[in-house]
Amino acid sequence: MAKEGKKKLIVGNWKMNLTVPEATILAERLKKEIVFVDGVETVVAPSFVSLYSVSETLADSAISVGAQDVFYEENGSYTGEVSAAMLRGLAKYCIVGHSERRIYFGESDRDVSQKVKALLTYDIKPIICIGETLREHSDGLSKVVAVSEAEAALRFVTKEDLENITFAYEPVWAIGSGKACHPDDAENVIQAVQKFIKALFGDKAADKIRILYGGSVNAENAKGFMKKNIDGFLVGGASLDHEEFTEIVKTTLKSS
Ligand code: PGA
């Protein structure tokens, strides 16, 4: 895959929101406001049905497009699924292992590792979500869970793939709750994941991986996170509001 420097990354996960016309309008609005900058790359991840229209709208813009999920088989009798081969050309990135998929759709660590493999085969950059539940958080297991999910997701990943891999540390209890994780705590978990990746692949290779924070990010709390060693954000709710999302991108840019 093509080499790119380690820019900050801001990803808007639109989840199961917006019809095709609505998604296209939001993409048009963002295109006007978010321009090419050196230090930050912006990505939006619409639903599968809006991918084509949004990717056409954002062609030649500063905003890249991502998918929210993928199935790891290449083609065949898998009703309702979408493969990496189908996403190629439409999506530069693809979110995998989001906690909503793990919890509501039973996605396992093994599924995540196979999805990562399929995406890399088709030159699509995986954004792998990791993070603990509230129970695990209360039990002091935040780092253990994040590291173990990261380990599983990297099963088929080589050193050469690392620059195309992004993790998003998303504590499940912080998603959609309005209660973001404290930036110090997010940094702690992220450091533990970085340490693990360094042990696995060596310092230099591990430095290429980006680790984002996600969970109730907004324009206000983004400032606190940007003071930490965090490579960007995975934004849910706030990414549906073009002004708020643009503000998050600007805040990140100022601190990059
Ligand atoms: P949120 O979602 O920003 O609405 O908390 C984040 C996510 O699920 O990726």
Side-chain angles (χ1 to χ4, degrees):
M1 288 184 75
K3 286 187 194 279
E4 259 180 45
K6 190 172 158 181
K7 289 180 181 178
K8 292 251 187 307
L9 192 66
I10 312 296
V11 185
N13 175 9
W14 293 354
K15 306 193 179 182
M16 198 178 73
N17 294 294
L18 310 175
T19 60
V20 177
E22 286 166 349
T24 311
I25 289 170
L26 179 54
E28 273 160 5
R29 287 196 173 133
L30 291 172
K31 185 180 171 173
K32 285 190 196 125
E33 293 178 45
I34 297 173
V35 293
F36 285 101
V37 285
D38 269 351
V40 180
E41 181 175 1
T42 306
V43 180
V44 293
S47 69
F48 283 135
V49 288
S50 296
L51 260 185
Y52 182 75
S53 172
V54 169
S55 79
E56 289 282 295
T57 305
L58 296 177
D60 304 318
S61 82
I63 306 171
S64 305
V65 176
Q68 297 176 15
D69 188 28
V70 66
F71 186 49
Y72 48 77
E73 293 293 350
E74 224 171 276
N75 51 50
S77 305
Y78 302 102
T79 303
E81 293 300 316
V82 173
S83 71
M86 294 167 176
L87 292 178
R88 177 140 76 176
L90 288 177
K92 178 175 174 185
Y93 290 88
C94 182
I95 298 169
V96 269
H98 191 284
S99 61
E100 286 152 14
R101 296 220 56 86
R102 293 180 193 256
I103 294 165
Y104 304 137
F105 303 99
E107 194 161 302
S108 67
D109 279 345
R110 187 176 166 276
D111 295 331
V112 174
S113 68
Q114 289 191 285
K115 290 180 178 198
V116 169
K117 186 177 171 201
L119 289 170
L120 291 171
T121 306
Y122 283 92
D123 289 345
I124 299 167
K125 297 168 190 268
I127 299 168
I128 306 159
C129 301
I130 52 176
E132 81 286 358
T133 60
L134 184 58
R135 180 70 201 267
E136 290 161 339
H137 181 71
S138 318
D139 290 347
L141 295 173
S142 309
K143 289 185 191 175
V144 175
V145 171
V147 168
S148 120
E149 289 179 344
E151 179 177 18
L154 292 174
R155 182 161 169 216
F156 301 111
V157 170
T158 66
K159 218 178 198 180
E160 290 66 44
D161 294 324
L162 285 188
E163 63 191 327
N164 294 308
I165 300 280
T166 300
F167 278 105
Y169 169 55
E170 297 208 300
V172 178
W173 49 271
I175 295 176
S177 65
K179 283 190 209 140
C181 174
H182 192 284
D184 288 340
D185 296 338
E187 189 179 50
N188 261 328
V189 176
I190 287 172
Q191 269 169 359
V193 176
Q194 276 162 342
K195 203 171 144 197
F196 166 75
I197 298 169
K198 281 186 180 169
L200 205 61
F201 293 104
D203 287 12
K204 240 175 123 185
D207 279 343
K208 294 185 177 155
I209 238 172
R210 282 186 288 206
I211 309 186
L212 319 179
Y213 167 76
S216 296
V217 173
N218 57 39
E220 196 42 47
N221 63 24
K223 293 176 197 154
F225 285 105
M226 274 300 112
K227 292 189 185 123
K228 302 288 165 188
N229 183 16
I230 292 173
D231 298 320
F233 299 113
L234 179 51
V235 186
S239 71
L240 296 169
D241 176 329
H242 74 281
E243 285 174 358
E244 185 83 11
F245 189 62
T246 305
E247 216 32 60
I248 295 171
V249 174
K250 285 185 184 158
T251 300
T252 309
L253 182 60
K254 270 187 223 150
S255 60
S256 71

PDB file of all heavy atoms in Angstrom, residues 13 15 98 100 170 174-176 215-217 234-237, ligand 1:
ATOM      1  N   ASN A  13     -17.963   8.885  12.334  1.00  0.00           N
ATOM      2  CA  ASN A  13     -18.709   7.635  12.155  1.00  0.00           C
ATOM      3  C   ASN A  13     -20.200   7.978  12.190  1.00  0.00           C
ATOM      4  O   ASN A  13     -20.745   8.261  13.243  1.00  0.00           O
ATOM      5  CB  ASN A  13     -18.325   6.675  13.302  1.00  0.00           C
ATOM      6  CG  ASN A  13     -19.127   5.390  13.296  1.00  0.00           C
ATOM      7  OD1 ASN A  13     -19.865   5.120  12.350  1.00  0.00           O
ATOM      8  ND2 ASN A  13     -18.979   4.606  14.350  1.00  0.00           N
ATOM      9  N   LYS A  15     -22.667   6.127  11.657  1.00  0.00           N
ATOM     10  CA  LYS A  15     -23.464   4.980  12.140  1.00  0.00           C
ATOM     11  C   LYS A  15     -24.717   4.789  11.277  1.00  0.00           C
ATOM     12  O   LYS A  15     -24.688   5.068  10.091  1.00  0.00           O
ATOM     13  CB  LYS A  15     -23.799   5.169  13.618  1.00  0.00           C
ATOM     14  CG  LYS A  15     -22.553   5.421  14.472  1.00  0.00           C
ATOM     15  CD  LYS A  15     -22.807   5.298  15.946  1.00  0.00           C
ATOM     16  CE  LYS A  15     -21.520   5.533  16.713  1.00  0.00           C
ATOM     17  NZ  LYS A  15     -21.654   5.383  18.136  1.00  0.00           N
ATOM     18  N   HIS A  98     -16.052  -2.245  15.856  1.00  0.00           N
ATOM     19  CA  HIS A  98     -16.711  -1.250  16.713  1.00  0.00           C
ATOM     20  C   HIS A  98     -17.472  -1.988  17.811  1.00  0.00           C
ATOM     21  O   HIS A  98     -18.028  -3.058  17.565  1.00  0.00           O
ATOM     22  CB  HIS A  98     -17.657  -0.389  15.874  1.00  0.00           C
ATOM     23  CG  HIS A  98     -18.151   0.805  16.629  1.00  0.00           C
ATOM     24  ND1 HIS A  98     -19.124   0.702  17.589  1.00  0.00           N
ATOM     25  CD2 HIS A  98     -17.769   2.102  16.604  1.00  0.00           C
ATOM     26  CE1 HIS A  98     -19.328   1.915  18.112  1.00  0.00           C
ATOM     27  NE2 HIS A  98     -18.522   2.777  17.537  1.00  0.00           N
ATOM     28  N   GLU A 100     -20.276  -1.556  19.021  1.00  0.00           N
ATOM     29  CA  GLU A 100     -21.685  -1.830  18.687  1.00  0.00           C
ATOM     30  C   GLU A 100     -21.797  -3.097  17.844  1.00  0.00           C
ATOM     31  O   GLU A 100     -22.766  -3.840  17.950  1.00  0.00           O
ATOM     32  CB  GLU A 100     -22.291  -0.611  17.972  1.00  0.00           C
ATOM     33  CG  GLU A 100     -22.533   0.517  18.963  1.00  0.00           C
ATOM     34  CD  GLU A 100     -22.492   1.916  18.377  1.00  0.00           C
ATOM     35  OE1 GLU A 100     -22.525   2.060  17.142  1.00  0.00           O
ATOM     36  OE2 GLU A 100     -22.408   2.871  19.175  1.00  0.00           O
ATOM     37  N   GLU A 170     -11.770   3.203  22.313  1.00  0.00           N
ATOM     38  CA  GLU A 170     -13.109   3.687  22.601  1.00  0.00           C
ATOM     39  C   GLU A 170     -13.678   2.934  23.804  1.00  0.00           C
ATOM     40  O   GLU A 170     -14.226   1.828  23.639  1.00  0.00           O
ATOM     41  CB  GLU A 170     -14.037   3.430  21.407  1.00  0.00           C
ATOM     42  CG  GLU A 170     -13.655   4.146  20.151  1.00  0.00           C
ATOM     43  CD  GLU A 170     -14.878   4.410  19.286  1.00  0.00           C
ATOM     44  OE1 GLU A 170     -15.545   3.450  18.889  1.00  0.00           O
ATOM     45  OE2 GLU A 170     -15.182   5.570  19.046  1.00  0.00           O
ATOM     46  N   ALA A 174     -18.087   5.173  27.379  1.00  0.00           N
ATOM     47  CA  ALA A 174     -17.994   6.592  26.988  1.00  0.00           C
ATOM     48  C   ALA A 174     -18.723   6.861  25.672  1.00  0.00           C
ATOM     49  O   ALA A 174     -18.968   8.010  25.313  1.00  0.00           O
ATOM     50  CB  ALA A 174     -16.527   6.995  26.860  1.00  0.00           C
ATOM     51  N   ILE A 175     -19.085   5.784  24.958  1.00  0.00           N
ATOM     52  CA  ILE A 175     -19.700   5.958  23.638  1.00  0.00           C
ATOM     53  C   ILE A 175     -21.158   6.385  23.786  1.00  0.00           C
ATOM     54  O   ILE A 175     -21.946   5.706  24.433  1.00  0.00           O
ATOM     55  CB  ILE A 175     -19.602   4.655  22.809  1.00  0.00           C
ATOM     56  CG1 ILE A 175     -18.132   4.350  22.511  1.00  0.00           C
ATOM     57  CG2 ILE A 175     -20.397   4.768  21.520  1.00  0.00           C
ATOM     58  CD1 ILE A 175     -17.904   3.043  21.787  1.00  0.00           C
ATOM     59  N   GLY A 176     -21.475   7.533  23.191  1.00  0.00           N
ATOM     60  CA  GLY A 176     -22.855   8.019  23.179  1.00  0.00           C
ATOM     61  C   GLY A 176     -23.402   8.373  24.543  1.00  0.00           C
ATOM     62  O   GLY A 176     -24.598   8.617  24.688  1.00  0.00           O
ATOM     63  N   GLY A 215     -15.359   8.327  21.870  1.00  0.00           N
ATOM     64  CA  GLY A 215     -16.315   8.207  22.985  1.00  0.00           C
ATOM     65  C   GLY A 215     -16.693   9.579  23.484  1.00  0.00           C
ATOM     66  O   GLY A 215     -15.948  10.206  24.227  1.00  0.00           O
ATOM     67  N   SER A 216     -17.854  10.085  22.974  1.00  0.00           N
ATOM     68  CA  SER A 216     -18.395  11.391  23.395  1.00  0.00           C
ATOM     69  C   SER A 216     -17.436  12.553  23.147  1.00  0.00           C
ATOM     70  O   SER A 216     -17.386  13.502  23.935  1.00  0.00           O
ATOM     71  CB  SER A 216     -18.828  11.345  24.867  1.00  0.00           C
ATOM     72  OG  SER A 216     -19.894  10.435  25.030  1.00  0.00           O
ATOM     73  N   VAL A 217     -16.708  12.480  22.040  1.00  0.00           N
ATOM     74  CA  VAL A 217     -15.835  13.610  21.677  1.00  0.00           C
ATOM     75  C   VAL A 217     -16.698  14.741  21.135  1.00  0.00           C
ATOM     76  O   VAL A 217     -17.623  14.527  20.349  1.00  0.00           O
ATOM     77  CB  VAL A 217     -14.808  13.180  20.592  1.00  0.00           C
ATOM     78  CG1 VAL A 217     -14.024  14.390  20.082  1.00  0.00           C
ATOM     79  CG2 VAL A 217     -13.872  12.117  21.131  1.00  0.00           C
ATOM     80  N   LEU A 234     -12.145   9.372  16.832  1.00  0.00           N
ATOM     81  CA  LEU A 234     -13.262   8.718  16.142  1.00  0.00           C
ATOM     82  C   LEU A 234     -14.515   9.326  16.777  1.00  0.00           C
ATOM     83  O   LEU A 234     -14.748   9.179  17.980  1.00  0.00           O
ATOM     84  CB  LEU A 234     -13.218   7.193  16.352  1.00  0.00           C
ATOM     85  CG  LEU A 234     -14.321   6.368  15.709  1.00  0.00           C
ATOM     86  CD1 LEU A 234     -14.495   6.671  14.228  1.00  0.00           C
ATOM     87  CD2 LEU A 234     -14.027   4.867  15.850  1.00  0.00           C
ATOM     88  N   VAL A 235     -15.273  10.042  15.963  1.00  0.00           N
ATOM     89  CA  VAL A 235     -16.377  10.855  16.478  1.00  0.00           C
ATOM     90  C   VAL A 235     -17.703  10.280  15.994  1.00  0.00           C
ATOM     91  O   VAL A 235     -17.885  10.076  14.793  1.00  0.00           O
ATOM     92  CB  VAL A 235     -16.251  12.312  15.960  1.00  0.00           C
ATOM     93  CG1 VAL A 235     -17.298  13.195  16.614  1.00  0.00           C
ATOM     94  CG2 VAL A 235     -14.850  12.858  16.190  1.00  0.00           C
ATOM     95  N   GLY A 236     -18.622  10.024  16.897  1.00  0.00           N
ATOM     96  CA  GLY A 236     -19.945   9.526  16.520  1.00  0.00           C
ATOM     97  C   GLY A 236     -20.933  10.680  16.415  1.00  0.00           C
ATOM     98  O   GLY A 236     -20.951  11.422  15.432  1.00  0.00           O
ATOM     99  N   GLY A 237     -21.740  10.859  17.453  1.00  0.00           N
ATOM    100  CA  GLY A 237     -22.819  11.857  17.465  1.00  0.00           C
ATOM    101  C   GLY A 237     -22.417  13.219  16.919  1.00  0.00           C
ATOM    102  O   GLY A 237     -23.121  13.785  16.063  1.00  0.00           O
TER     103      GLY A 237
HETATM  104  P1  PGA B   1     -19.929   9.014  20.162  1.00  0.00           P
HETATM  105  O1  PGA B   1     -19.588   7.697  19.349  1.00  0.00           O
HETATM  106  O2  PGA B   1     -18.967  10.084  19.706  1.00  0.00           O
HETATM  107  O3  PGA B   1     -21.343   9.335  19.800  1.00  0.00           O
HETATM  108  O4  PGA B   1     -19.761   8.703  21.611  1.00  0.00           O
HETATM  109  C1  PGA B   1     -18.254   7.322  19.093  1.00  0.00           C
HETATM  110  C2  PGA B   1     -18.219   6.020  18.351  1.00  0.00           C
HETATM  111  O5  PGA B   1     -19.050   5.146  18.602  1.00  0.00           O
HETATM  112  O6  PGA B   1     -17.365   5.819  17.462  1.00  0.00           O
END
